[in-house]
Amino acid sequence: MLRHEFRPGRAVAGLVMLTLAAGYAADAAGAWNAPWTFFAPVFVGGLWLAATVTWVSYRLRRRRGARKAAAEATAPGPSGAA
């Protein structure tokens, strides 16, 4: 049983931050020589992607909830057996 619902936007944001941390670590270790201007668009683009994924997942959950509520409203009630 899940303790909380899955948040894909947060997962994307976490992966972007891990990627940036790995890039900074590789740059600091001398394994990769990247200008600092490379990291700014990756950061902003990653946050934009995480926001987009969050918005899409919100819309899907909202639509699924509306369909479920409509199905419950049209479903017949109990047959009166106690």
Side-chain angles (χ1 to χ4, degrees):
M1 182 170 156
L2 293 175
R3 292 184 178 209
H4 56 83
E5 66 180 295
F6 178 62
R7 303 277 181 150
R10 289 184 183 189
V12 169
L15 289 174
V16 169
M17 295 306 142
L18 284 173
T19 303
L20 286 171
Y24 274 120
D27 190 28
W32 184 38
N33 189 12
W36 69 271
T37 55
F38 172 77
F39 294 104
V42 171
F43 176 73
V44 173
L47 289 181
W48 179 83
L49 181 63
T52 303
V53 168
T54 299
W55 180 77
V56 168
S57 67
Y58 167 75
R59 297 292 293 180
L60 290 173
R61 279 195 319 266
R62 187 172 170 203
R63 181 184 296 173
R64 187 180 313 140
R67 268 191 275 147
K68 189 176 183 181
E72 288 175 357
T74 59
S79 61

